[in-house]
Amino acid sequence: MTSKYDGLTPKEADDLMTGLIGVIVCAELATARRMTPAEWEERDILEWSHSIASAIYDTIENRRKGAP
């Protein structure tokens, strides 16, 4: 199995990881912007923030382990 980090310098791999985290955050912000006030009120913000933090953690761990 190849890794998306294969062949990259450490700086390039870190830049890629930072970009992936940025994509996660931007996607969640776009979701929030599309929500109606009623949808926003029904949203469990603690669960949502945990979901975002978990995705960021997974991205960092994958980078650290060299996973795809």
Side-chain angles (χ1 to χ4, degrees), residues 16-66:
L16 175 59
M17 180 188 69
T18 301
L20 292 171
I21 291 170
V23 167
I24 292 167
V25 172
C26 287
E28 291 303 322
L29 287 172
T31 298
R33 287 184 180 132
R34 286 191 303 271
M35 295 172 112
T36 65
E39 289 172 326
W40 181 256
E41 287 299 318
E42 291 176 14
R43 186 68 143 183
D44 180 354
I45 196 68
L46 294 177
E47 186 246 320
W48 196 13
S49 63
H50 182 267
S51 173
I52 294 168
S54 294
I56 292 170
Y57 173 81
D58 290 342
T59 301
I60 292 169
E61 282 299 295
N62 285 342
R63 164 66 179 105
R64 191 176 68 77
K65 294 176 182 174

